[in-house]
Amino acid sequence: SFLRYTLENAAAQITELSRKEDSDVVQNLVMTVQDRYRKLYQCITERGKTLEDVRKQAKQFSESWHLLVDWMTEVEQTLDTHKEIAVSHEEIKQQLTEQKDFQKLLRSKRPMYDATLKSGRSLLEKCQSPQDKQHLENMVSELRDSWDTISGKSFERQHKLEEALLFSGRFTDALQALNDWLYRAEPQLAEDVAVGGEKDLVNNLIDKHKVFQKELGKRAGCIKTLKRSVRDLTRGSTADSRWLQEQMEELECRWEAVCKLSVSKQSRLEEALRQAEEFDRLVHTFLDRLADVERALKYGVIPEEEEALQEFHKQHQESMSSLIDQEVVLESIQTLGEQILTSCHPDSVITIKSWISVTKTRFEEVQTWAQQQGGRMQTTLAVLEAEKEEVHRLIEWISSAEETLNLLEQEPLPVDMEQTEELITKHMVFMEELNQKVPEVENATKSCKKKHVPKKQSSPKRKSTLKRQPSIPVPFENLHLHTPQLCKLVSSWQQLWLLAHGRQSRLEEHQQRLRELEEFANFDFNVWRKRYMQWISHMKSRILDVFRSIDRDQDGRISQKEFIENVLASKFPTNSLEMTAVATIFDTSTCDYGLIPFILQAAYFVTSHLLGLQLKGEPI
């Protein structure tokens, strides 16, 4: 924040002391830095929230893990120190009751164990450090092994107690214990029990079913022992024997039903795991692809240059094509999610529905953003196309106007003043139309930046008394033209501009020449001389000083050209035709111009007879 504040202050100071063009550049740079700062700050904030969530999750996992591991360590020591299985029937039943109570306690700890195991797996998926990942894997493995150990020892002790109860001679109690166990197991294996859901929950269900299958396998020996014992006891035809045989047949039927249900549940769990893994893979792949598309769309600034815009349009089309592909994946996710929900475990219904909603919402967000960006890009393309059409129209107009001017330039200029004025009027109409096109050309080249041209230091030159023709300023110079079409437009416009102003100058010069010819038709040297004398008198100058200023080398001789140019360069109202006639009147006779006063001389020999000057080169 301090660096940003310092940068903004420095930019403000530079802007105050800079030209407008440089100020715009500085402002653009500051806006770019501010935009990148906002994005960086947003990323830092999001990362901070993510790290805080992971920290809380890691803390909760660590606390739950330590509580469970400490409890299981204590329970394992208790199981190891349990007294030996009793011999008497009453003591065996008492130990079996205590074991059943422990089984209830173990089942009550199962949700906490599942939640901790799920949290550990989630942290493993997010973990990036190899050391942390190895540490988490060790913790999860230790937790699972400890749970499996105490579960195995608990089931082993219960199995031994049931066998002891059976061998103690109390077949009725043994039958009752097995029937109770089968009654409790059968509802959990029913076909209508939902086993679908997310991957972690299905894995937990599979782990539970594996434990049940181990317990089922251990009780198979009890069933065989009971069958042998019942056969030995029912060799007679007593009523008790028939009752025991009926009880055994009922137990065998229920046992076979439980075994079939166990196999069926195993198949359903395997299918549920396949669906859960496929659903998990589709969801995460879908969200990753959407994130890639969103990054390309969200942070892609639409360029203004044609080539860059076309490339950006190509990338946008690829992103839209990818979105269409992801829409098919979204349909697969929704279809598979609905299939899972038909047989979904209650603990996983909310999770599956949440994933379906999240994928749909994320797709709609990215699709909306893509459509908005596509709309802006289409607008930019339309503007660019309109600008190209405008440039093309201007080029065609310039070409037509240039061709017309070239044809007019080939025609000889009229000698009649009215026709000349008519040509000038028509050309002024064209110049007005040309000036009206200037804003259109400026609008067409508004995206072009100006080049920085250093000012040239002018070297001191000798002042000249001659009037220079004003140079025609060339428009749209020093521009960075980024397209050939704009180069052609500016080049054609500059050529037309110079051509039009050149024709205007020639027409005005021709008109002036015609006027001078009209005025020269009635030229009278005496009148001219009087005007010149009055002008000299008004300027409070002496004619001698004037001609001395013309005669720079002070040799008493001036050329006809020097005389004409200097008089024309002064503010005396005359023209080149009159000056040529005046210079022609002068002859080459010389006299001492210092002896004859200028004011007493009234003849037209104002130069040669009064001043005694002789024109250099060609005689007058």
Side-chain angles (χ1 to χ4, degrees), residues 81-99 156-170:
T81 58
H82 269 165
K83 54 187 177 180
E84 295 294 331
I85 296 175
V87 178
S88 67
H89 173 69
E90 294 299 331
E91 291 179 352
I92 293 174
K93 287 188 67 175
Q94 179 63 29
Q95 289 180 346
L96 188 60
T97 302
E98 292 176 355
Q99 182 62 30
E156 182 68 22
R157 181 172 177 80
Q158 184 173 359
H159 175 64
K160 288 180 179 180
L161 287 171
E162 289 175 352
E163 282 186 341
L165 187 64
L166 177 63
F167 290 116
S168 67
R170 301 302 295 263

PDB file of all heavy atoms in Angstrom, residues 81-99 156-170:
ATOM      1  N   THR A  81      -5.818 -56.782  28.501  1.00  0.00           N
ATOM      2  CA  THR A  81      -5.785 -57.199  29.917  1.00  0.00           C
ATOM      3  C   THR A  81      -7.086 -57.839  30.369  1.00  0.00           C
ATOM      4  O   THR A  81      -7.270 -58.048  31.585  1.00  0.00           O
ATOM      5  CB  THR A  81      -5.493 -55.974  30.793  1.00  0.00           C
ATOM      6  OG1 THR A  81      -6.485 -54.972  30.565  1.00  0.00           O
ATOM      7  CG2 THR A  81      -4.109 -55.426  30.488  1.00  0.00           C
ATOM      8  N   HIS A  82      -8.000 -58.106  29.442  1.00  0.00           N
ATOM      9  CA  HIS A  82      -9.251 -58.755  29.839  1.00  0.00           C
ATOM     10  C   HIS A  82      -8.943 -60.128  30.434  1.00  0.00           C
ATOM     11  O   HIS A  82      -8.056 -60.857  29.957  1.00  0.00           O
ATOM     12  CB  HIS A  82     -10.188 -58.922  28.648  1.00  0.00           C
ATOM     13  CG  HIS A  82     -11.109 -57.736  28.489  1.00  0.00           C
ATOM     14  ND1 HIS A  82     -11.820 -57.504  27.344  1.00  0.00           N
ATOM     15  CD2 HIS A  82     -11.448 -56.738  29.345  1.00  0.00           C
ATOM     16  CE1 HIS A  82     -12.545 -56.402  27.488  1.00  0.00           C
ATOM     17  NE2 HIS A  82     -12.329 -55.927  28.703  1.00  0.00           N
ATOM     18  N   LYS A  83      -9.717 -60.455  31.440  1.00  0.00           N
ATOM     19  CA  LYS A  83      -9.525 -61.760  32.079  1.00  0.00           C
ATOM     20  C   LYS A  83      -9.922 -62.877  31.128  1.00  0.00           C
ATOM     21  O   LYS A  83     -10.656 -62.663  30.159  1.00  0.00           O
ATOM     22  CB  LYS A  83     -10.319 -61.837  33.361  1.00  0.00           C
ATOM     23  CG  LYS A  83     -11.801 -61.526  33.205  1.00  0.00           C
ATOM     24  CD  LYS A  83     -12.476 -61.464  34.549  1.00  0.00           C
ATOM     25  CE  LYS A  83     -13.950 -61.069  34.417  1.00  0.00           C
ATOM     26  NZ  LYS A  83     -14.636 -60.990  35.723  1.00  0.00           N
ATOM     27  N   GLU A  84      -9.437 -64.051  31.410  1.00  0.00           N
ATOM     28  CA  GLU A  84      -9.707 -65.201  30.565  1.00  0.00           C
ATOM     29  C   GLU A  84     -11.191 -65.509  30.535  1.00  0.00           C
ATOM     30  O   GLU A  84     -11.945 -65.151  31.440  1.00  0.00           O
ATOM     31  CB  GLU A  84      -8.939 -66.421  31.096  1.00  0.00           C
ATOM     32  CG  GLU A  84      -7.430 -66.288  31.028  1.00  0.00           C
ATOM     33  CD  GLU A  84      -6.950 -66.245  29.597  1.00  0.00           C
ATOM     34  OE1 GLU A  84      -7.612 -66.839  28.731  1.00  0.00           O
ATOM     35  OE2 GLU A  84      -5.908 -65.590  29.338  1.00  0.00           O
ATOM     36  N   ILE A  85     -11.581 -66.171  29.469  1.00  0.00           N
ATOM     37  CA  ILE A  85     -12.997 -66.541  29.309  1.00  0.00           C
ATOM     38  C   ILE A  85     -13.372 -67.549  30.380  1.00  0.00           C
ATOM     39  O   ILE A  85     -12.665 -68.539  30.626  1.00  0.00           O
ATOM     40  CB  ILE A  85     -13.237 -67.097  27.908  1.00  0.00           C
ATOM     41  CG1 ILE A  85     -12.953 -65.989  26.871  1.00  0.00           C
ATOM     42  CG2 ILE A  85     -14.663 -67.609  27.749  1.00  0.00           C
ATOM     43  CD1 ILE A  85     -13.038 -66.458  25.456  1.00  0.00           C
ATOM     44  N   ALA A  86     -14.502 -67.287  30.998  1.00  0.00           N
ATOM     45  CA  ALA A  86     -14.944 -68.130  32.126  1.00  0.00           C
ATOM     46  C   ALA A  86     -15.378 -69.505  31.644  1.00  0.00           C
ATOM     47  O   ALA A  86     -15.532 -69.762  30.437  1.00  0.00           O
ATOM     48  CB  ALA A  86     -16.076 -67.431  32.875  1.00  0.00           C
ATOM     49  N   VAL A  87     -15.619 -70.375  32.618  1.00  0.00           N
ATOM     50  CA  VAL A  87     -16.043 -71.749  32.310  1.00  0.00           C
ATOM     51  C   VAL A  87     -17.531 -71.917  32.557  1.00  0.00           C
ATOM     52  O   VAL A  87     -18.244 -72.550  31.774  1.00  0.00           O
ATOM     53  CB  VAL A  87     -15.238 -72.759  33.158  1.00  0.00           C
ATOM     54  CG1 VAL A  87     -15.697 -74.185  32.874  1.00  0.00           C
ATOM     55  CG2 VAL A  87     -13.759 -72.606  32.880  1.00  0.00           C
ATOM     56  N   SER A  88     -17.986 -71.298  33.615  1.00  0.00           N
ATOM     57  CA  SER A  88     -19.401 -71.469  33.955  1.00  0.00           C
ATOM     58  C   SER A  88     -20.275 -70.662  32.998  1.00  0.00           C
ATOM     59  O   SER A  88     -19.848 -69.638  32.439  1.00  0.00           O
ATOM     60  CB  SER A  88     -19.654 -71.031  35.400  1.00  0.00           C
ATOM     61  OG  SER A  88     -19.449 -69.638  35.514  1.00  0.00           O
ATOM     62  N   HIS A  89     -21.487 -71.177  32.892  1.00  0.00           N
ATOM     63  CA  HIS A  89     -22.425 -70.575  31.953  1.00  0.00           C
ATOM     64  C   HIS A  89     -22.773 -69.140  32.350  1.00  0.00           C
ATOM     65  O   HIS A  89     -22.805 -68.230  31.496  1.00  0.00           O
ATOM     66  CB  HIS A  89     -23.681 -71.438  31.883  1.00  0.00           C
ATOM     67  CG  HIS A  89     -24.775 -70.810  31.067  1.00  0.00           C
ATOM     68  ND1 HIS A  89     -24.708 -70.657  29.711  1.00  0.00           N
ATOM     69  CD2 HIS A  89     -25.981 -70.275  31.455  1.00  0.00           C
ATOM     70  CE1 HIS A  89     -25.794 -70.074  29.265  1.00  0.00           C
ATOM     71  NE2 HIS A  89     -26.598 -69.833  30.320  1.00  0.00           N
ATOM     72  N   GLU A  90     -22.991 -68.906  33.623  1.00  0.00           N
ATOM     73  CA  GLU A  90     -23.406 -67.578  34.078  1.00  0.00           C
ATOM     74  C   GLU A  90     -22.293 -66.548  33.865  1.00  0.00           C
ATOM     75  O   GLU A  90     -22.546 -65.424  33.435  1.00  0.00           O
ATOM     76  CB  GLU A  90     -23.798 -67.643  35.551  1.00  0.00           C
ATOM     77  CG  GLU A  90     -25.037 -68.479  35.824  1.00  0.00           C
ATOM     78  CD  GLU A  90     -26.266 -67.932  35.119  1.00  0.00           C
ATOM     79  OE1 GLU A  90     -26.342 -66.690  34.896  1.00  0.00           O
ATOM     80  OE2 GLU A  90     -27.146 -68.721  34.769  1.00  0.00           O
ATOM     81  N   GLU A  91     -21.078 -66.961  34.154  1.00  0.00           N
ATOM     82  CA  GLU A  91     -19.973 -66.028  33.969  1.00  0.00           C
ATOM     83  C   GLU A  91     -19.751 -65.699  32.488  1.00  0.00           C
ATOM     84  O   GLU A  91     -19.425 -64.562  32.118  1.00  0.00           O
ATOM     85  CB  GLU A  91     -18.692 -66.626  34.583  1.00  0.00           C
ATOM     86  CG  GLU A  91     -18.740 -66.710  36.108  1.00  0.00           C
ATOM     87  CD  GLU A  91     -17.470 -67.318  36.671  1.00  0.00           C
ATOM     88  OE1 GLU A  91     -16.647 -67.804  35.847  1.00  0.00           O
ATOM     89  OE2 GLU A  91     -17.291 -67.308  37.899  1.00  0.00           O
ATOM     90  N   ILE A  92     -19.921 -66.729  31.630  1.00  0.00           N
ATOM     91  CA  ILE A  92     -19.772 -66.488  30.185  1.00  0.00           C
ATOM     92  C   ILE A  92     -20.830 -65.486  29.700  1.00  0.00           C
ATOM     93  O   ILE A  92     -20.540 -64.566  28.919  1.00  0.00           O
ATOM     94  CB  ILE A  92     -19.859 -67.807  29.406  1.00  0.00           C
ATOM     95  CG1 ILE A  92     -18.657 -68.694  29.737  1.00  0.00           C
ATOM     96  CG2 ILE A  92     -19.906 -67.543  27.899  1.00  0.00           C
ATOM     97  CD1 ILE A  92     -18.744 -70.080  29.117  1.00  0.00           C
ATOM     98  N   LYS A  93     -22.059 -65.669  30.183  1.00  0.00           N
ATOM     99  CA  LYS A  93     -23.122 -64.743  29.768  1.00  0.00           C
ATOM    100  C   LYS A  93     -22.830 -63.329  30.260  1.00  0.00           C
ATOM    101  O   LYS A  93     -23.084 -62.345  29.556  1.00  0.00           O
ATOM    102  CB  LYS A  93     -24.474 -65.216  30.317  1.00  0.00           C
ATOM    103  CG  LYS A  93     -25.022 -66.444  29.608  1.00  0.00           C
ATOM    104  CD  LYS A  93     -26.433 -66.756  30.038  1.00  0.00           C
ATOM    105  CE  LYS A  93     -27.417 -65.723  29.608  1.00  0.00           C
ATOM    106  NZ  LYS A  93     -28.820 -66.068  29.929  1.00  0.00           N
ATOM    107  N   GLN A  94     -22.269 -63.242  31.492  1.00  0.00           N
ATOM    108  CA  GLN A  94     -21.924 -61.933  32.026  1.00  0.00           C
ATOM    109  C   GLN A  94     -20.839 -61.267  31.176  1.00  0.00           C
ATOM    110  O   GLN A  94     -20.925 -60.078  30.830  1.00  0.00           O
ATOM    111  CB  GLN A  94     -21.439 -62.084  33.478  1.00  0.00           C
ATOM    112  CG  GLN A  94     -21.038 -60.788  34.136  1.00  0.00           C
ATOM    113  CD  GLN A  94     -22.201 -59.798  34.284  1.00  0.00           C
ATOM    114  OE1 GLN A  94     -23.363 -60.228  34.400  1.00  0.00           O
ATOM    115  NE2 GLN A  94     -21.903 -58.508  34.287  1.00  0.00           N
ATOM    116  N   GLN A  95     -19.822 -62.043  30.795  1.00  0.00           N
ATOM    117  CA  GLN A  95     -18.753 -61.489  29.950  1.00  0.00           C
ATOM    118  C   GLN A  95     -19.292 -61.133  28.567  1.00  0.00           C
ATOM    119  O   GLN A  95     -18.876 -60.116  27.962  1.00  0.00           O
ATOM    120  CB  GLN A  95     -17.619 -62.511  29.828  1.00  0.00           C
ATOM    121  CG  GLN A  95     -16.827 -62.696  31.105  1.00  0.00           C
ATOM    122  CD  GLN A  95     -15.722 -63.725  30.942  1.00  0.00           C
ATOM    123  OE1 GLN A  95     -15.687 -64.489  29.967  1.00  0.00           O
ATOM    124  NE2 GLN A  95     -14.811 -63.785  31.935  1.00  0.00           N
ATOM    125  N   LEU A  96     -20.219 -61.931  28.049  1.00  0.00           N
ATOM    126  CA  LEU A  96     -20.805 -61.630  26.737  1.00  0.00           C
ATOM    127  C   LEU A  96     -21.620 -60.347  26.780  1.00  0.00           C
ATOM    128  O   LEU A  96     -21.600 -59.536  25.836  1.00  0.00           O
ATOM    129  CB  LEU A  96     -21.662 -62.813  26.277  1.00  0.00           C
ATOM    130  CG  LEU A  96     -22.196 -62.742  24.835  1.00  0.00           C
ATOM    131  CD1 LEU A  96     -21.029 -62.668  23.846  1.00  0.00           C
ATOM    132  CD2 LEU A  96     -23.071 -63.949  24.527  1.00  0.00           C
ATOM    133  N   THR A  97     -22.323 -60.121  27.895  1.00  0.00           N
ATOM    134  CA  THR A  97     -23.095 -58.883  28.039  1.00  0.00           C
ATOM    135  C   THR A  97     -22.164 -57.671  28.079  1.00  0.00           C
ATOM    136  O   THR A  97     -22.427 -56.631  27.448  1.00  0.00           O
ATOM    137  CB  THR A  97     -23.945 -58.942  29.320  1.00  0.00           C
ATOM    138  OG1 THR A  97     -24.813 -60.083  29.256  1.00  0.00           O
ATOM    139  CG2 THR A  97     -24.772 -57.676  29.472  1.00  0.00           C
ATOM    140  N   GLU A  98     -21.066 -57.824  28.834  1.00  0.00           N
ATOM    141  CA  GLU A  98     -20.096 -56.732  28.894  1.00  0.00           C
ATOM    142  C   GLU A  98     -19.491 -56.459  27.505  1.00  0.00           C
ATOM    143  O   GLU A  98     -19.264 -55.304  27.123  1.00  0.00           O
ATOM    144  CB  GLU A  98     -18.985 -57.082  29.885  1.00  0.00           C
ATOM    145  CG  GLU A  98     -19.460 -57.129  31.332  1.00  0.00           C
ATOM    146  CD  GLU A  98     -18.354 -57.585  32.274  1.00  0.00           C
ATOM    147  OE1 GLU A  98     -17.266 -57.937  31.762  1.00  0.00           O
ATOM    148  OE2 GLU A  98     -18.577 -57.585  33.505  1.00  0.00           O
ATOM    149  N   GLN A  99     -19.259 -57.559  26.760  1.00  0.00           N
ATOM    150  CA  GLN A  99     -18.693 -57.387  25.425  1.00  0.00           C
ATOM    151  C   GLN A  99     -19.669 -56.677  24.483  1.00  0.00           C
ATOM    152  O   GLN A  99     -19.270 -55.851  23.661  1.00  0.00           O
ATOM    153  CB  GLN A  99     -18.294 -58.753  24.845  1.00  0.00           C
ATOM    154  CG  GLN A  99     -17.641 -58.702  23.484  1.00  0.00           C
ATOM    155  CD  GLN A  99     -16.336 -57.928  23.485  1.00  0.00           C
ATOM    156  OE1 GLN A  99     -15.631 -57.899  24.514  1.00  0.00           O
ATOM    157  NE2 GLN A  99     -16.022 -57.283  22.363  1.00  0.00           N
ATOM    158  N   GLU A 156     -13.070 -60.713  17.926  1.00  0.00           N
ATOM    159  CA  GLU A 156     -12.442 -61.989  18.270  1.00  0.00           C
ATOM    160  C   GLU A 156     -12.881 -62.445  19.657  1.00  0.00           C
ATOM    161  O   GLU A 156     -13.191 -63.635  19.887  1.00  0.00           O
ATOM    162  CB  GLU A 156     -10.916 -61.838  18.216  1.00  0.00           C
ATOM    163  CG  GLU A 156     -10.156 -63.119  18.514  1.00  0.00           C
ATOM    164  CD  GLU A 156     -10.331 -64.165  17.431  1.00  0.00           C
ATOM    165  OE1 GLU A 156     -10.671 -63.791  16.272  1.00  0.00           O
ATOM    166  OE2 GLU A 156     -10.161 -65.375  17.728  1.00  0.00           O
ATOM    167  N   ARG A 157     -12.914 -61.502  20.603  1.00  0.00           N
ATOM    168  CA  ARG A 157     -13.343 -61.869  21.961  1.00  0.00           C
ATOM    169  C   ARG A 157     -14.805 -62.260  21.976  1.00  0.00           C
ATOM    170  O   ARG A 157     -15.186 -63.241  22.636  1.00  0.00           O
ATOM    171  CB  ARG A 157     -13.101 -60.698  22.908  1.00  0.00           C
ATOM    172  CG  ARG A 157     -13.511 -61.017  24.355  1.00  0.00           C
ATOM    173  CD  ARG A 157     -13.075 -59.916  25.286  1.00  0.00           C
ATOM    174  NE  ARG A 157     -13.544 -60.192  26.643  1.00  0.00           N
ATOM    175  CZ  ARG A 157     -12.969 -61.033  27.510  1.00  0.00           C
ATOM    176  NH1 ARG A 157     -11.892 -61.709  27.131  1.00  0.00           N
ATOM    177  NH2 ARG A 157     -13.453 -61.196  28.737  1.00  0.00           N
ATOM    178  N   GLN A 158     -15.634 -61.544  21.244  1.00  0.00           N
ATOM    179  CA  GLN A 158     -17.052 -61.910  21.205  1.00  0.00           C
ATOM    180  C   GLN A 158     -17.232 -63.291  20.592  1.00  0.00           C
ATOM    181  O   GLN A 158     -18.056 -64.088  21.060  1.00  0.00           O
ATOM    182  CB  GLN A 158     -17.839 -60.866  20.404  1.00  0.00           C
ATOM    183  CG  GLN A 158     -19.349 -61.123  20.398  1.00  0.00           C
ATOM    184  CD  GLN A 158     -20.114 -59.993  19.736  1.00  0.00           C
ATOM    185  OE1 GLN A 158     -19.520 -59.026  19.317  1.00  0.00           O
ATOM    186  NE2 GLN A 158     -21.428 -60.127  19.669  1.00  0.00           N
ATOM    187  N   HIS A 159     -16.453 -63.598  19.546  1.00  0.00           N
ATOM    188  CA  HIS A 159     -16.543 -64.900  18.913  1.00  0.00           C
ATOM    189  C   HIS A 159     -16.140 -66.007  19.898  1.00  0.00           C
ATOM    190  O   HIS A 159     -16.796 -67.059  19.985  1.00  0.00           O
ATOM    191  CB  HIS A 159     -15.647 -64.929  17.681  1.00  0.00           C
ATOM    192  CG  HIS A 159     -15.567 -66.262  17.016  1.00  0.00           C
ATOM    193  ND1 HIS A 159     -16.653 -66.881  16.436  1.00  0.00           N
ATOM    194  CD2 HIS A 159     -14.511 -67.120  16.860  1.00  0.00           C
ATOM    195  CE1 HIS A 159     -16.289 -68.052  15.929  1.00  0.00           C
ATOM    196  NE2 HIS A 159     -14.982 -68.213  16.187  1.00  0.00           N
ATOM    197  N   LYS A 160     -15.070 -65.746  20.643  1.00  0.00           N
ATOM    198  CA  LYS A 160     -14.629 -66.753  21.618  1.00  0.00           C
ATOM    199  C   LYS A 160     -15.666 -66.951  22.720  1.00  0.00           C
ATOM    200  O   LYS A 160     -15.904 -68.084  23.178  1.00  0.00           O
ATOM    201  CB  LYS A 160     -13.298 -66.326  22.227  1.00  0.00           C
ATOM    202  CG  LYS A 160     -12.129 -66.439  21.264  1.00  0.00           C
ATOM    203  CD  LYS A 160     -10.840 -66.004  21.923  1.00  0.00           C
ATOM    204  CE  LYS A 160      -9.663 -66.136  20.962  1.00  0.00           C
ATOM    205  NZ  LYS A 160      -8.375 -65.712  21.592  1.00  0.00           N
ATOM    206  N   LEU A 161     -16.291 -65.848  23.148  1.00  0.00           N
ATOM    207  CA  LEU A 161     -17.330 -65.949  24.167  1.00  0.00           C
ATOM    208  C   LEU A 161     -18.530 -66.750  23.655  1.00  0.00           C
ATOM    209  O   LEU A 161     -19.124 -67.562  24.389  1.00  0.00           O
ATOM    210  CB  LEU A 161     -17.774 -64.554  24.597  1.00  0.00           C
ATOM    211  CG  LEU A 161     -16.785 -63.771  25.467  1.00  0.00           C
ATOM    212  CD1 LEU A 161     -17.248 -62.329  25.643  1.00  0.00           C
ATOM    213  CD2 LEU A 161     -16.623 -64.442  26.836  1.00  0.00           C
ATOM    214  N   GLU A 162     -18.894 -66.517  22.393  1.00  0.00           N
ATOM    215  CA  GLU A 162     -20.017 -67.276  21.830  1.00  0.00           C
ATOM    216  C   GLU A 162     -19.663 -68.749  21.699  1.00  0.00           C
ATOM    217  O   GLU A 162     -20.506 -69.629  21.931  1.00  0.00           O
ATOM    218  CB  GLU A 162     -20.404 -66.673  20.483  1.00  0.00           C
ATOM    219  CG  GLU A 162     -21.067 -65.316  20.605  1.00  0.00           C
ATOM    220  CD  GLU A 162     -21.329 -64.670  19.253  1.00  0.00           C
ATOM    221  OE1 GLU A 162     -20.845 -65.224  18.244  1.00  0.00           O
ATOM    222  OE2 GLU A 162     -21.998 -63.626  19.190  1.00  0.00           O
ATOM    223  N   GLU A 163     -18.420 -69.041  21.302  1.00  0.00           N
ATOM    224  CA  GLU A 163     -17.988 -70.437  21.214  1.00  0.00           C
ATOM    225  C   GLU A 163     -17.964 -71.079  22.603  1.00  0.00           C
ATOM    226  O   GLU A 163     -18.383 -72.241  22.774  1.00  0.00           O
ATOM    227  CB  GLU A 163     -16.594 -70.517  20.591  1.00  0.00           C
ATOM    228  CG  GLU A 163     -16.588 -70.352  19.090  1.00  0.00           C
ATOM    229  CD  GLU A 163     -15.202 -70.596  18.501  1.00  0.00           C
ATOM    230  OE1 GLU A 163     -14.218 -70.535  19.284  1.00  0.00           O
ATOM    231  OE2 GLU A 163     -15.112 -70.821  17.286  1.00  0.00           O
ATOM    232  N   ALA A 164     -17.490 -70.304  23.557  1.00  0.00           N
ATOM    233  CA  ALA A 164     -17.465 -70.847  24.928  1.00  0.00           C
ATOM    234  C   ALA A 164     -18.872 -71.116  25.427  1.00  0.00           C
ATOM    235  O   ALA A 164     -19.136 -72.124  26.115  1.00  0.00           O
ATOM    236  CB  ALA A 164     -16.757 -69.866  25.859  1.00  0.00           C
ATOM    237  N   LEU A 165     -19.781 -70.208  25.123  1.00  0.00           N
ATOM    238  CA  LEU A 165     -21.171 -70.405  25.501  1.00  0.00           C
ATOM    239  C   LEU A 165     -21.738 -71.649  24.839  1.00  0.00           C
ATOM    240  O   LEU A 165     -22.513 -72.412  25.438  1.00  0.00           O
ATOM    241  CB  LEU A 165     -21.997 -69.175  25.114  1.00  0.00           C
ATOM    242  CG  LEU A 165     -23.447 -69.141  25.588  1.00  0.00           C
ATOM    243  CD1 LEU A 165     -23.514 -69.094  27.119  1.00  0.00           C
ATOM    244  CD2 LEU A 165     -24.170 -67.937  24.988  1.00  0.00           C
ATOM    245  N   LEU A 166     -21.315 -71.871  23.580  1.00  0.00           N
ATOM    246  CA  LEU A 166     -21.790 -73.052  22.857  1.00  0.00           C
ATOM    247  C   LEU A 166     -21.229 -74.331  23.470  1.00  0.00           C
ATOM    248  O   LEU A 166     -21.969 -75.315  23.694  1.00  0.00           O
ATOM    249  CB  LEU A 166     -21.378 -72.948  21.388  1.00  0.00           C
ATOM    250  CG  LEU A 166     -21.736 -74.139  20.497  1.00  0.00           C
ATOM    251  CD1 LEU A 166     -23.255 -74.326  20.424  1.00  0.00           C
ATOM    252  CD2 LEU A 166     -21.155 -73.941  19.101  1.00  0.00           C
ATOM    253  N   PHE A 167     -19.949 -74.342  23.767  1.00  0.00           N
ATOM    254  CA  PHE A 167     -19.321 -75.554  24.303  1.00  0.00           C
ATOM    255  C   PHE A 167     -19.630 -75.778  25.777  1.00  0.00           C
ATOM    256  O   PHE A 167     -19.298 -76.832  26.308  1.00  0.00           O
ATOM    257  CB  PHE A 167     -17.801 -75.494  24.116  1.00  0.00           C
ATOM    258  CG  PHE A 167     -17.387 -75.631  22.678  1.00  0.00           C
ATOM    259  CD1 PHE A 167     -16.745 -74.583  22.027  1.00  0.00           C
ATOM    260  CD2 PHE A 167     -17.651 -76.803  21.983  1.00  0.00           C
ATOM    261  CE1 PHE A 167     -16.368 -74.716  20.702  1.00  0.00           C
ATOM    262  CE2 PHE A 167     -17.268 -76.926  20.652  1.00  0.00           C
ATOM    263  CZ  PHE A 167     -16.634 -75.883  20.004  1.00  0.00           C
ATOM    264  N   SER A 168     -20.226 -74.785  26.385  1.00  0.00           N
ATOM    265  CA  SER A 168     -20.613 -74.994  27.787  1.00  0.00           C
ATOM    266  C   SER A 168     -21.848 -75.855  27.924  1.00  0.00           C
ATOM    267  O   SER A 168     -22.277 -76.155  29.029  1.00  0.00           O
ATOM    268  CB  SER A 168     -20.842 -73.644  28.474  1.00  0.00           C
ATOM    269  OG  SER A 168     -21.967 -72.995  27.920  1.00  0.00           O
ATOM    270  N   GLY A 169     -22.455 -76.185  26.767  1.00  0.00           N
ATOM    271  CA  GLY A 169     -23.625 -77.052  26.771  1.00  0.00           C
ATOM    272  C   GLY A 169     -24.934 -76.315  26.679  1.00  0.00           C
ATOM    273  O   GLY A 169     -25.997 -76.954  26.590  1.00  0.00           O
ATOM    274  N   ARG A 170     -24.890 -75.039  26.686  1.00  0.00           N
ATOM    275  CA  ARG A 170     -26.130 -74.258  26.581  1.00  0.00           C
ATOM    276  C   ARG A 170     -26.367 -73.903  25.124  1.00  0.00           C
ATOM    277  O   ARG A 170     -26.100 -72.812  24.662  1.00  0.00           O
ATOM    278  CB  ARG A 170     -26.021 -72.997  27.430  1.00  0.00           C
ATOM    279  CG  ARG A 170     -25.758 -73.255  28.900  1.00  0.00           C
ATOM    280  CD  ARG A 170     -26.877 -74.143  29.493  1.00  0.00           C
ATOM    281  NE  ARG A 170     -28.109 -73.471  29.483  1.00  0.00           N
ATOM    282  CZ  ARG A 170     -28.627 -72.814  30.505  1.00  0.00           C
ATOM    283  NH1 ARG A 170     -27.989 -72.816  31.656  1.00  0.00           N
ATOM    284  NH2 ARG A 170     -29.801 -72.219  30.412  1.00  0.00           N
TER     285      ARG A 170
END
